[in-house]
Amino acid sequence: AAFVKTGGTDPVKVAAARAGRQIRDVVEEALREWLDSRETAEDIAASGEAIRAHERGESIDADALFDRMIAEGRVEYQADPER
């Protein structure tokens, strides 16, 4: 969807002014929240598919799943200090 200014006030400028913040900061925060929500939606979808696969008696490759999540920066690998 494209945004076209049709006259009136720019809602981003208004939001920044109301918050006493720079437009760049408001846009950066909104973009970060949007990206986080997309990742969350992807995680939920992947979880649902894993559950359905389990219910069908199929298995998933957990190593491949975690490797992908690490590569995407969604989780970090930490060695277990107890081992």
Side-chain angles (χ1 to χ4, degrees):
F3 294 94
V4 179
K5 189 170 181 177
T6 58
T9 358
D10 184 334
V12 176
K13 290 180 182 178
V14 171
R18 284 184 181 155
R21 299 172 62 201
Q22 296 289 321
I23 292 173
R24 178 189 70 229
D25 296 337
V26 171
V27 171
E28 183 180 310
E29 180 181 339
L31 180 58
R32 185 177 298 113
E33 289 174 3
W34 179 75
L35 290 171
D36 288 346
S37 70
R38 287 192 51 151
E39 286 183 6
T40 298
E42 290 173 2
D43 291 344
I44 291 169
S47 297
E49 180 53 38
I51 290 169
R52 288 186 292 280
H54 175 74
E55 289 170 346
R56 292 188 303 264
E58 300 170 3
S59 63
I60 61 168
D61 183 355
D63 286 335
L65 174 66
F66 289 121
D67 286 345
R68 188 184 85 228
M69 292 177 76
I70 291 168
E72 292 173 353
R74 296 192 294 183
V75 296
E76 293 181 17
Y77 174 79
Q78 295 181 347
D80 185 356
E82 303 278 325
R83 292 182 178 186

